[in-house]
């Protein structure tokens, strides 16, 4: 629910407005409304004070910026109510469902795309038209500041993309007559958008005006139509605002990559030494090419110079996610993954930026097959064997460009005051952009320093300004030496505590660390850790992409890792990982307690840390926990008990996010170590989680084997609370195989085990899950009683998930009892709780059961409409078993409504999925399919 006052509605698609019960709210001057717009664009997330200041004023904020932002926030809070919250040095605006026009726009376009996939273009076209009608002019109209400009451009691109989807559907439906004028105007407005010109030509041809049209390329809207575009990936990282020079190189890249009528994929390779500015140049050029690649930009850091270069299969997984493929749907075989990736790119105009490649072999699997795509690669090596259309080898910046870059960082007036010293400084930097930036950042934070004094310090001829300052940055060992000298220049200014934290931050293999994790890693009080981290950030040794979040630049991470190898004993690095793992367990344990109140397992997860920080259940955070788990185990196999608890504490987060596929490899690694260490408790807990993942992914045979072994280990370790959970999961796996008698026996055993060990949460969960089995065994009264007991226990314990699941079970009982209307109401109530609680799997389960209830009531059209929504939800989640069952129900509904052609398509798809997963519903799908009249009859 929103924290703003009831009845509040926000508008971004035009002038920024807010209404309450149809009455406009006074939002203040344009800059205050720009602040509101930034919070709305990041609704329900914390936006840091520094980010707000930068978004309102850019690089030159007034001295009063902090006070002004706080004043704006205070005034907006008085108008909007308690939904505008303060979080440390940032703010978050709580916006509920249906309270923002942009959210409603996204919902309508998502529904439209689902209708296209379902073969209903008319409904899709109407929904897209409704979405476009919500725009009242340019988004964020009249707002000042760089962030408003960026969001205006982004939203304008979003609107244009949806508009083109609507036009494609108009063409498909034969509405070309009224499109020529509209498309001609759009082509004049966007002269470089080739997709618009293609659509205009298609409209002209269909209207009998072929001579006015250019040749329509293959694949343009004509005979066949493709599904609507997924949200366009835009993965390019930030480019510093002080980008300077490289005009000829930029021009070369634009000429080589801007598409004309390519016959092969355009590939450009940018080479050069570390710190030469390859990445900055590539991303800058890629940004200039956005309009030529309207289907998006993909970016990956291949870590070519690191000891752990990126695995192309992992990079493919990230790209496929950005292209709409969910984790469970990712092929495990790298070649199949590459084939799916090239299929997704076929016909799309997408630019790929592959940064810091090791060699051509690393790049080859990532190259697209469609000539409409282009690739920009950076590498320190020559990449022999790469079929590049253009190769650029960057040299150091000319003196004039290096001097200009320094001036943009420290201020032109300081360069003009000491021109000779400024020239000497950029010479000392070897013309290396990274070195110039580091030296400039040092000077930029010390406006009183003379450049001459700084040069003397670099030469070791002046008094040290702090402990440990020595003669570094000689500039006589070539540019590579200059970079390390720049790093050392800042590193030598650190005191012992700061330097130790800097080194240890490079130990875990995670892209970022938050404040609490960094403090745990070094064994520091958070307040002391924050002081150290802010010092490191001020010296340019760390980046802070968000409040209290920190990361290394790649080269600085290597530098820090090398210093740790030199200065920190292996035992200290291992101890740091153990502290971080313990902290992550504490955080996940608190999240577990919040999601599963009263669960006795919380008391059996025992970190030494007294209290964890908040736990984010997003993909990046879960992947970071899994990475730390594996790395810690590599360093200290005997810590497998801690790591097993760490994974087990992720159970609710994995259930909520459905990221079970990401767990498989780490869980198998931990389980293997537990067996080697003969740690039965760890083996039981890890085996349970592995079995849970396999069950949810529909791999029931593997799941049953893992769960059988896990139960034996848990029983031997007297870990009865976990054994209760294992028995429930085994029963669910047997349900998946339609082995109702075995499932019933396992549920009864789970209830007995849970009762004996005091696992009331487990017994409630077992009862709720057993309802489907009891109904299949025609024990209707027992099923109804199990539902009532589960619902009462969940509500008494404040268990949101348990309440939603019990309502779902009540819906199934009502359907089996012939009370379809009651069943539909129960499922909708449960689905609403699932959405609000962040349980997407429950939303899917309820949509599927609601579809079945409509069928049972004899309303096939309503069943088909609900089935389409269920199918879209299963595809978003990547839940293959649920998708297969949805397709069967949807095909049945279409058959009963008389739409035999679509029914045949859906049932054929269902049969393929069900047989691949060896699910028993295959026979039902086959029977309905066989009952349909053959095509053409």
């Amino acid at each position: 629910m929103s924290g703003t006052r009831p009845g509040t509605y926000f508008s971004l698609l035009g002038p920024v407005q807010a209404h309450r019960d149809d009455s406009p709210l006074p939002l203040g001057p344009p800059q205050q409304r720009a602040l509101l717009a930034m919070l709305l664009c990041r609704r329900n997330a914390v936006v840091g004070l520094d980010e707000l200041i930068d978004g309102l004023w850019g690089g030159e904020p007034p001295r009063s910026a902090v006070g002004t932002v706080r004043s704006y926030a205070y005034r907006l809070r008085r108008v909007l109510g308690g939904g505008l919250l303060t979080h440390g040095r940032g703010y978050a605006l709580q916006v509920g469902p249906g309270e923002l026009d942009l959210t409603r726009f996204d919902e309508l376009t998502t529904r439209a795309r689902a209708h296209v996939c379902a073969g209903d273009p008319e409904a899709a076209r109407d929904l897209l038209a409704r979405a476009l009608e919500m725009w009242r002019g340019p988004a964020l109209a009249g707002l000042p500041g760089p962030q408003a400009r960026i969001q205006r451009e982004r939203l304008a691109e979003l609107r244009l993309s949806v508009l083109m989807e609507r036009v494609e559907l108009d063409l498909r439906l034969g509405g070309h007559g009224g499109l020529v004028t509209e498309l001609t105007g759009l082509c004049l407005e966007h002269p470089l958008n080739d997709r618009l010109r293609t659509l205009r030509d298609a409209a002209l041809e269909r209207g009998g005006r072929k001579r006015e049209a250019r040749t329509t390329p293959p694949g343009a809207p004509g005979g066949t139509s493709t599904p609507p575009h997924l949200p366009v990936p835009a993965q390019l990282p930030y480019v510093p605002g002080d980008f300077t020079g490289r005009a000829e190189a930029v021009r070369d890249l634009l000429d080589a990559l801007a598409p004309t009528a390519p016959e092969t994929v355009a590939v450009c390779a940018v080479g050069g030494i570390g710190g030469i500015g390859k990445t900055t140049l590539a991303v800058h050029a890629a940004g200039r090419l956005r309009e030529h690649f309207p289907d998006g930009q993909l970016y990956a850091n291949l870590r070519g110079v690191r000891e752990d270069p990126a695995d192309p299969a992992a990079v493919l997984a990230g790209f496929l996610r950005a292209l709409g493929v969910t984790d469970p749907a990712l092929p495990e075989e790298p070649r199949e993954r590459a084939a799916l990736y090239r299929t997704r790119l076929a016909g799309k105009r997408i630019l790929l930026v592959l940064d810091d490649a090791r060699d051509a072999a690393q790049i080859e699997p990532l190259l697209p097959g469609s000539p409409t795509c282009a690739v920009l690669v950076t590498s320190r090596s020559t990449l022999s064997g790469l079929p590049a259309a253009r190769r650029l080898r960057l040299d150091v910046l000319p003196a004039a460009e290096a001097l200009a870059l320094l001036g943009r960082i420290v201020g032109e007036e300081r360069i003009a005051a000491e021109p000779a010293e400024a020239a000497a400084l950029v010479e000392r930097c070897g013309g290396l952009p990274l070195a110039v930036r580091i030296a400039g950042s040092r000077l930029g934070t010390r406006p009183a320093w003379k450049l001459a004094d700084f040069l003397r310090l670099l030469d070791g001829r002046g008094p040290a300004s702090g402990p440990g300052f020595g003669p570094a940055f000689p500039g006589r060992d070539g540019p590579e030496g200059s970079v390390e000298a720049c790093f050392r220049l800042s590193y030598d200014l650190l005191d012992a505590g700061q330097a130790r934290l800097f080194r240890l931050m490079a130990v875990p293999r995670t892209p970022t660390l938050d404040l609490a994790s960094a403090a745990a890693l070094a064994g520091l009080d958070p307040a002391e850790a924050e002081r150290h981290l802010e010092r490191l950030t001020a010296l340019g040794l760390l980046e802070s992409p968000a409040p209290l979040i920190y990361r290394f630049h790649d080269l600085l991470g290597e530098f820090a890792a090398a210093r740790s190898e030199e200065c920190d004993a292996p035992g200290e690095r291992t101890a740091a990982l153990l502290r971080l793992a313990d902290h992550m367990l504490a955080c996940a344990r608190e999240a577990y307690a919040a999601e599963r109140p009263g669960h006795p397992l919380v008391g059996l997860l025992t970190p030494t840390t007294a209290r964890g920080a908040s736990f984010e259940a997003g993909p990046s955070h879960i992947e970071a926990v899994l990475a730390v788990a594996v790395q810690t185990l590599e360093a200290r196999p005997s810590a497998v008990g801690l790591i097993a608890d760490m994974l087990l504490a992720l159970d609710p987060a994995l259930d909520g996010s459905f990221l079970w596929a990401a767990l498989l490899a780490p869980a198998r690694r931990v389980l293997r170590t537990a067996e080697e260490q003969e740690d039965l408790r760890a083996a039981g807990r890890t085996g349970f989680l592995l079995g849970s993942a396999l069950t949810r992914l529909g791999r029931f045979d593997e799941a049953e084997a893992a769960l059988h072994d896990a139960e034996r280990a848990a029983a031997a370790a007297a870990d009865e609370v976990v054994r209760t959970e294992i028995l429930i999961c085994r029963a669910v796996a047997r349900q998946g195989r339609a082995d109702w008698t075995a499932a019933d026996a396992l549920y009864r055993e789970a209830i007995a085990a849970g009762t004996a060990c005091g696992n009331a949460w487990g017994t409630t969960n077992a009862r709720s899950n057993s309802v489907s089995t009891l109904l299949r065994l025609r024990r209707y009264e027992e099923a109804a009683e199990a539902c009532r007991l589960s619902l009462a226990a969940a509500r008494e314990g404040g268990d949101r998930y348990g309440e939603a699941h019990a309502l779902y079970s009540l819906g199934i009982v009502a359907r089996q009892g012939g009370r379809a209307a009651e069943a539909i109401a129960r499922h909708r109530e449960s689905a609403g709780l699932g959405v609000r609680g962040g349980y997407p799997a429950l939303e899917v389960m309820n949509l599927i059961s609601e579809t079945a209830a409509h069928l049972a009531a004899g309303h096939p059209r309503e069943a088909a409409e609900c089935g389409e929504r269920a199918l879209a939800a299963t595809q978003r989640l990547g839940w293959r078993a649920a998708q297969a069952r949805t397709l069967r129900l949807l095909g049945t509904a279409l058959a009963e409504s008389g739409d035999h052609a679509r029914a045949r398509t859906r049932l054929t798809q269902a049969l393929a999925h069900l047989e691949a997963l060896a699910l028993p519903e295959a026979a039902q799908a086959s029977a309905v399919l066989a009952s349909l009249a053959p095509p053409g009859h």
Side-chain angles (χ1 to χ4, degrees), residues 299-304 306 309-310 315 353-357 362 554:
Y299 172 88
N301 183 347
L302 301 183
R303 305 194 306 270
R306 289 177 49 173
V315 176
V353 179
L354 304 177
D355 194 17
D356 192 21
Q362 188 188 32
D554 278 354

Side-chain angles (χ1 to χ4, degrees), residues 870-909:
L871 181 60
T874 63
Q875 290 169 338
R876 284 196 304 271
L877 211 56
W879 191 353
R880 291 183 63 202
Q883 183 178 349
R885 288 168 173 145
T886 303
L887 285 165
R888 180 185 70 78
L889 288 170
L890 178 55
T892 304
L894 291 168
E896 291 187 9
S897 64
D899 192 345
H900 287 191
R902 289 174 61 204
R904 188 175 294 103
T905 299
R906 292 307 193 192
L907 288 166
T908 301
Q909 293 172 335

Side-chain angles (χ1 to χ4, degrees), residues 272-570:
I273 61 174
I276 200 70
K278 302 181 295 295
T279 298
T280 304
L281 169 67
V283 176
H284 173 79
R288 296 269 300 268
L289 288 163
R290 281 182 193 273
E291 194 167 2
H292 293 284
F293 296 93
D295 294 318
Q297 307 86 40
L298 297 172
Y299 172 88
N301 183 347
L302 301 183
R303 305 194 306 270
V305 297
R306 289 177 49 173
E307 293 181 359
D308 58 333
D311 180 0
V315 176
L316 284 171
F319 283 171
L320 284 168
R321 291 186 190 105
L323 295 169
V325 179
T326 54
D327 280 4
L330 288 174
E332 293 188 6
E333 168 60 38
R335 290 186 180 180
E336 293 179 5
R337 198 171 279 187
L340 177 59
Y341 163 72
R342 292 185 175 116
T343 299
R344 285 281 177 152
L345 291 182
K348 293 185 182 294
R349 281 170 287 170
I350 287 182
L351 176 64
L352 287 89
V353 179
L354 304 177
D355 194 17
D356 192 21
R358 171 164 287 199
D359 50 35
Q362 188 188 32
I363 296 169
E364 193 279 330
L366 308 176
L367 295 177
S370 175
T372 55
C373 297
V375 183
L376 179 51
V377 184
T378 74
S379 178
R380 296 190 191 186
S381 73
T382 58
L383 295 178
S384 59
L386 179 69
R390 186 72 57 90
R391 292 179 185 273
L392 296 179
R393 187 74 181 175
L394 290 189
D395 200 352
V396 295
L397 286 174
E401 292 185 5
L403 199 59
L405 175 59
L406 182 65
R408 296 190 70 173
I409 298 171
V410 306
E412 296 292 344
E413 66 283 355
R414 295 177 75 179
I415 303 299
E418 297 180 271
E421 289 77 6
L425 178 55
V426 297
E427 181 181 5
R428 185 68 52 143
C429 291
L432 205 64
L434 181 59
V436 174
R437 290 185 192 284
I438 293 174
S441 297
R442 175 93 185 276
L443 282 166
T445 58
R446 293 162 175 80
W449 279 27
K450 295 286 188 182
L451 270 63
D453 294 334
F454 186 59
L455 277 170
R456 282 195 293 273
L457 290 174
L458 294 179
D459 288 337
R461 293 184 282 107
S465 61
F469 196 97
F473 204 105
R476 292 185 289 273
D477 298 327
E480 293 279 29
S482 296
V483 174
E484 183 164 328
C486 283
F487 296 160
R488 283 191 177 276
L489 179 64
S490 294
Y491 178 74
D492 288 343
L493 290 174
L494 304 176
D495 63 28
Q498 295 161 359
R500 175 176 174 271
L501 178 57
F502 172 74
R503 298 192 303 268
L504 292 180
M505 289 278 285
V507 172
R509 294 194 289 260
T510 57
T512 62
L513 284 173
D514 59 24
L515 169 61
S517 297
L521 182 75
L524 297 174
D525 175 84
E528 183 180 5
E530 184 175 10
R531 289 193 296 272
H532 290 347
L533 291 165
E534 289 302 313
R535 171 68 169 159
L536 294 169
T537 304
L539 289 173
L541 292 170
L542 284 178
E543 297 174 351
S544 181
L548 305 181
I549 303 294
Y550 302 90
R551 69 185 180 199
F552 283 113
H553 180 283
D554 278 354
L555 295 178
L556 275 162
E558 294 171 15
F559 175 83
R563 302 291 78 73
S564 183
E565 289 284 345
E566 289 176 359
C567 304
D568 302 320

Side-chain angles (χ1 to χ4, degrees), residues 42-61:
R42 296 271 298 280
R43 52 200 172 278
N44 303 319
V46 178
V47 185
L49 184 61
D50 292 339
E51 185 177 350
L52 291 169
I53 291 171
D54 187 60
L56 291 175
W57 290 283
E60 297 182 358

Side-chain angles (χ1 to χ4, degrees), residues 736-877:
R737 287 280 181 253
D739 188 350
W740 309 110
T741 302
D744 177 50
L746 286 164
Y747 279 129
R748 284 188 279 113
E749 189 177 355
I751 291 170
T755 302
C757 70
N759 186 355
W761 196 96
T763 58
T764 298
N765 190 33
R767 284 195 184 95
S768 187
N769 274 287
S770 71
V771 169
S772 294
T773 291
L774 292 170
L775 290 171
R776 291 283 185 167
L777 296 174
R778 302 182 181 278
R779 288 152 57 185
Y780 302 115
E781 288 302 321
E782 287 184 58
E785 180 65 10
C787 288
R788 287 191 289 270
L789 289 172
S790 299
L791 183 62
R795 285 177 170 169
E796 182 181 354
D799 179 3
R800 295 170 298 173
Y801 178 89
E803 180 181 0
H805 197 283
L807 288 167
Y808 162 76
S809 299
L810 280 169
I812 296 176
V813 169
R815 170 163 55 90
Q816 293 291 336
R819 304 186 304 278
E822 179 187 340
I824 291 167
R826 291 292 194 184
H827 287 311
R828 289 178 177 175
E829 185 181 2
S830 174
L833 284 174
V835 171
R836 291 193 295 274
Y839 312 121
L842 270 175
E843 179 190 11
V844 168
M845 291 160 57
N846 280 286
L847 283 170
I848 294 172
S849 286
E850 184 183 338
T851 302
H854 284 298
L855 272 174
H859 302 142
R861 293 188 182 277
E862 289 84 348
E865 191 277 332
C866 187
E868 293 290 359
R869 288 188 286 119
L871 181 60
T874 63
Q875 290 169 338
R876 284 196 304 271
L877 211 56

